[in-house]
Amino acid sequence: MAILEIQGLQKTFGTGELAVNALQDINISLSAGELTALLGPSGSGKTTLLLCISLIHEPTSGTIVFDGETIYNNGWTGTDLRRLRREKIGFVFQTPNLIPFLTVRENVLFPQELIGITGKKAEERAKELLDYMEVLHRSNYLPALLSGGEQQRVAVARALANRPKLILADEPTAALDTERGMKVMALLKKIAREYQTAVITVTHDVRMIEGFDHVYHLKDGRVENTTNH
Amino acid sequence: MDLAVRDIAHHKGKFVATIIGVGLLFAVVLSMNGIYRGFIFEGLSAIKVTNPDLWVVERYRGGPFNEQSTIPDFFHYSIEAIEGVEKASPFIFYGVERMIQGKRKRFTIIGYDVFGGLGGPQKLTAGRHIRRAHYEMVAHEKLKFRLGDTIPLGLHNYTVVGLFNDGTAPDGEPLVYVSLPDAQEILYLRDNEEIRNQRERLLKTLTAPGRMIAEQVQQYMPLLEINTHMVNAHLVKLKPEANPMEVARKIEKNLYFSVYTTQQQIDLMMQGRLAMPRKQLLLFRIILLIVSVVIISLVIYTFTMEKIRSIAVMKLIGAPNRLIIRLVLEQSLLMTAGSYLVGLVIIHNTYHYFPRLVRLTPFDDTVTFFIALAGALIASVLGIVQAIKTEPALALGGN
């Protein structure tokens, strides 16, 4: 069963002569534990698509069904959307974007606190994830004291902290060298398989997407071609 | 997890520097409170220390402190004859500046009837009250005179026989008590050379062609010279059963003076001589508070803008707005409370170095604290608006 079903998604910025069609007729289907890559040149609409999936940008038209619920065009408020994001979606960014004044451990505890998980249970989850990402020894460090690769692994741990059904990753290897980038992508693949979490990642680098289930090539806001494995 | 405290801990140096800076501003605000209170306290001090039942002054004058008043000194006999008056005493006061012990000193002399009259010093901290009719004085400790010092004033030397620390003139100058005749002499009496010159000038003026002859002038000359038997007010103590307003009315009607109770004297000062400076100080306090709030507002705005990306990340991962508002608000309140505390410690340890009285009161300190907290709430609005406006999408994309 598909965890995410996008049909006829369209996003237009501006109106009239100034209107820009950032996304046109996007159709994507993704099951739990599957890995999807969005490829394409700059300005092709990859990040806009991520923003529309997480409803940070409201689509102009189309349907998004996530985890059995129609999340777009059903009258949800901003509060509902924030709840959806904190409970079911994990984000990994181009740069780690860890909260600089929280330690590594606290960065992983924070998303759990947002959904009401605190105390020993949250601590154990943080420990487990940091161990999994091989950064447990850095638990009490501030992010600024970690290498770029370590920070990005902590960011992945944070994205997983709330046991999301979907991880949206926006060029997670862009700020890393090839070796560290490969390591982060390998972790994302491992997570998808072991935790049955669907992953959508935006990337420029085709070397990073080996073993992905679906690859969508975007150009000028349209899916130019799709590769399924 | 307290995000505000974590952020502050992460930026300790900056936070400490900020609260010291804003704390100094709060110290100025608190000192202005103290200066304001001290100004009023000193302004009313001589009235409150003297504290007779009634003040009798020149007709239609608001004297003796709010306005100049001059009346003959012998009228206390007439006042005492009024029904309800137990005692009346002449009272004179004026400011002087003299070189004393090598230093220029300003103080206010009060002359009173030292033999049981009203208006003398209340509690002495050292020595004794004046017992002799002449050449003794009781001085405020601020003047740093010692018991036994001889102080030259006018034509004579005065021995310091007592010290006190309660009571200043309305302009903050320390008081010095001497006997009434001494005070009149210091104020009015000139040295012999000046008296001779004055008589000579008067004689020439009056004996000019067409005026008086010299013998006539010699006869009337004493009447034309300066009258030294003048005072500023007469102080009245009433009999226990007397009605102050009734006695005041009788004195005004029969002796043609103006009469005030001590409370009326205080009101006259507050609405007269002290009114404008009070308003000035009050306005200055308000401006300082506004400046403090604006500075805190800008600091909070800067603090918020510095972590705008973190706020975007928080919003993207689903942090509710109330969490973001709490972060900004808590930092604003902590910064204000910290700054206020720094200001409070600074001013309570330095106020005694101010040249004029700085009178700090728990009431003013508390009110200022709550105004500052209210200001902090207003100050955080700018930061909160910015934080709420932040798009979660800002978290995506590169640096």
Side-chain angles (χ1 to χ4, degrees):
Chain A
M1 184 194 160
I3 190 86
L4 180 71
E5 190 83 44
I6 299 171
Q7 285 185 341
L9 188 77
Q10 188 163 332
K11 175 66 184 174
T12 304
F13 290 107
T15 54
E17 286 181 8
L18 297 173
V20 175
N21 292 320
L23 294 173
Q24 296 178 72
D25 195 27
I26 303 290
N27 297 293
I28 289 176
S29 180
L30 185 61
S31 297
E34 283 190 336
L35 290 145
T36 297
L38 303 176
L39 289 180
S42 291
S44 59
K46 306 182 299 292
T47 300
T48 305
L49 181 54
L50 283 191
L51 291 169
C52 284
I53 292 170
S54 55
L55 292 183
I56 289 165
H57 281 177
E58 192 180 341
T60 308
S61 63
T63 314
I64 303 173
V65 178
F66 176 56
D67 198 22
E69 284 186 287
T70 303
I71 61 168
Y72 167 60
N73 240 349
N74 66 350
W76 279 21
T77 63
T79 308
D80 298 323
L81 295 173
R82 276 195 292 273
R83 183 176 48 76
L84 173 84
R85 287 204 294 272
R86 67 176 169 257
E87 288 178 356
K88 294 187 176 176
I89 301 176
F91 290 90
V92 181
F93 310 102
Q94 188 174 342
T95 50
N97 273 347
L98 296 172
I99 297 169
F101 50 84
L102 299 182
T103 63
V104 164
R105 192 181 111 267
E106 288 168 340
N107 263 285
V108 182
L109 289 173
F110 181 62
Q112 298 185 75
E113 196 175 299
L114 291 180
I115 54 172
I117 301 170
T118 52
K120 202 176 169 189
K121 200 174 167 189
E123 290 284 355
E124 278 172 4
R125 174 77 176 153
K127 195 176 168 188
E128 176 199 330
L129 287 168
L130 292 172
D131 193 25
Y132 191 81
M133 298 296 157
E134 299 167 11
V135 281
L136 184 61
H137 61 295
R138 300 289 210 177
S139 287
N140 293 319
Y141 283 54
L142 287 171
L145 300 172
L146 272 60
S147 71
E150 285 174 326
Q151 286 188 36
Q152 198 60 302
R153 278 182 276 150
V154 175
V156 176
R158 179 180 64 185
L160 287 168
N162 55 349
R163 300 180 194 277
K165 302 219 166 178
L166 174 66
I167 287 183
L168 299 174
D170 184 28
E171 302 197 37
T173 59
L176 302 175
D177 58 40
T178 308
E179 190 188 337
R180 288 192 174 113
M182 288 289 196
K183 203 168 179 180
V184 168
M185 289 309 275
L187 277 169
L188 281 175
K189 287 173 205 169
K190 197 174 160 191
I191 288 157
R193 305 301 183 217
E194 288 185 12
Y195 290 95
Q196 282 298 292
T197 304
V199 174
I200 299 179
T201 182
V202 166
T203 184
H204 280 103
D205 193 344
V206 289
R207 291 173 303 170
M208 299 291 174
I209 57 167
E210 195 182 320
F212 271 51
D213 301 298
H214 310 283
V215 179
Y216 294 89
H217 292 263
L218 271 75
K219 191 178 178 188
D220 298 331
R222 290 178 183 276
V223 176
E224 201 175 43
N225 63 65
T226 310
T227 312
N228 295 312
H229 298 285
Chain B
M1 183 180 317
D2 195 327
L3 295 174
V5 172
R6 290 288 197 288
D7 187 33
I8 286 169
H10 186 57
H11 297 103
K12 276 192 287 285
K14 194 173 172 185
F15 183 75
V16 169
T18 304
I19 64 165
I20 288 173
V22 181
L24 285 167
L25 201 59
F26 273 123
V28 177
V29 174
L30 292 169
S31 74
M32 286 309 297
N33 290 344
I35 289 167
Y36 177 81
R37 293 283 173 202
F39 176 76
I40 292 172
F41 182 84
E42 287 185 335
L44 303 176
S45 172
I47 298 173
K48 289 183 175 177
V49 165
T50 310
N51 196 27
D53 293 326
L54 294 174
W55 299 75
V56 179
V57 300
E58 192 179 343
R59 185 76 167 173
Y60 300 133
R61 296 292 180 106
F65 300 106
N66 189 48
E67 190 185 350
Q68 179 62 34
S69 153
T70 310
I71 53 179
D73 60 7
F74 51 80
F75 263 100
H76 61 280
Y77 298 117
S78 309
I79 295 167
E80 277 182 354
I82 302 278
E83 190 184 344
V85 174
E86 184 176 316
K87 183 188 280 282
S89 302
F91 177 85
I92 188 169
F93 98 115
Y94 52 90
V96 296
E97 184 175 313
R98 297 281 190 279
M99 281 296 288
I100 295 169
Q101 297 167 340
K103 287 181 183 165
R104 189 158 289 279
K105 302 214 179 203
R106 286 188 62 86
F107 51 91
T108 292
I109 289 175
I110 286 184
Y112 71 108
D113 175 5
V114 297
F115 299 110
L118 306 171
Q122 300 301 311
K123 289 176 229 159
L124 299 188
T125 54
R128 59 167 176 81
H129 286 272
I130 296 169
R131 285 188 199 141
R132 291 166 55 196
H134 292 289
Y135 315 131
E136 286 188 346
M137 67 158 61
V138 171
H140 197 290
E141 283 179 351
K142 254 181 157 174
L143 287 165
K144 295 198 165 51
F145 296 158
R146 286 168 302 182
L147 292 178
D149 279 355
T150 51
I151 309 299
L153 288 172
L155 305 177
H156 304 286
N157 289 332
Y158 294 80
T159 304
V160 179
V161 296
L163 298 172
F164 65 95
N165 61 11
D166 187 17
T168 54
D171 50 10
E173 286 167 5
L175 298 177
V176 164
Y177 290 90
V178 295
S179 70
L180 181 71
D182 283 352
Q184 288 171 317
E185 189 180 297
I186 295 165
L187 179 62
Y188 297 118
L189 214 60
R190 310 286 179 256
D191 64 28
N192 293 340
E193 191 61 31
E194 192 180 339
I195 292 167
R196 273 195 292 274
N197 284 342
Q198 197 175 349
R199 281 183 185 162
E200 204 58 37
R201 273 196 303 274
L202 195 58
L203 187 66
K204 279 189 178 171
T205 306
L206 296 175
T207 55
R211 293 185 179 161
M212 298 156 91
I213 57 168
E215 286 73 22
Q216 286 175 311
V217 172
Q218 291 296 349
Q219 188 182 345
Y220 293 112
M221 187 96 86
L223 299 174
L224 296 170
E225 286 178 348
I226 294 170
N227 182 0
T228 62
H229 294 283
M230 302 300 280
V231 292
N232 300 119
H234 287 281
L235 311 180
V236 175
K237 185 182 177 189
L238 297 173
K239 288 178 179 163
E241 72 281 5
N243 178 335
M245 302 320 288
E246 184 62 26
V247 176
R249 198 188 59 77
K250 281 182 189 164
I251 296 171
E252 285 177 341
K253 187 182 170 194
N254 297 333
L255 300 175
Y256 211 64
F257 291 128
S258 284
V259 184
Y260 303 102
T261 62
T262 292
Q263 187 53 51
Q264 284 172 327
Q265 279 286 359
I266 289 171
D267 295 342
L268 275 174
M269 286 293 280
M270 292 294 275
Q271 289 154 20
R273 189 168 163 181
L274 302 182
M276 290 297 276
R278 270 174 60 219
K279 284 178 191 165
Q280 187 101 332
L281 286 171
L282 193 64
L283 191 65
F284 195 49
R285 287 161 81 192
I286 292 167
I287 290 169
L288 278 173
L289 266 173
I290 291 170
V291 168
S292 307
V293 170
V294 168
I295 288 175
I296 292 172
S297 171
L298 290 175
V299 170
I300 287 296
Y301 180 75
T302 310
F303 261 60
T304 307
M305 289 308 290
E306 280 175 359
K307 52 179 171 287
I308 210 75
R309 184 119 187 196
S310 296
I311 289 172
V313 171
M314 288 180 211
K315 292 178 92 168
L316 188 69
I317 63 179
N321 276 341
R322 66 182 144 74
L323 190 88
I324 313 288
I325 292 170
R326 191 184 139 190
L327 166 66
V328 178
L329 201 60
E330 199 178 322
Q331 284 197 335
S332 181
L333 292 177
L334 282 172
M335 191 173 291
T336 305
S339 303
Y340 176 82
L341 200 65
V342 168
L344 195 71
V345 169
I346 290 172
I347 194 60
H348 276 267
N349 285 288
T350 55
Y351 73 95
H352 46 273
Y353 294 114
F354 282 66
R356 278 196 67 170
L357 179 67
V358 177
R359 195 170 163 82
L360 303 170
T361 65
F363 174 78
D364 281 348
D365 290 351
T366 310
V367 167
T368 305
F369 178 67
F370 283 110
I371 290 173
L373 277 190
L377 293 178
I378 296 165
S380 54
V381 167
L382 207 60
I384 287 171
V385 167
Q386 196 59 42
I388 296 299
K389 268 170 48 185
T390 302
E391 286 289 332
L394 185 69
L396 296 175
N399 287 315

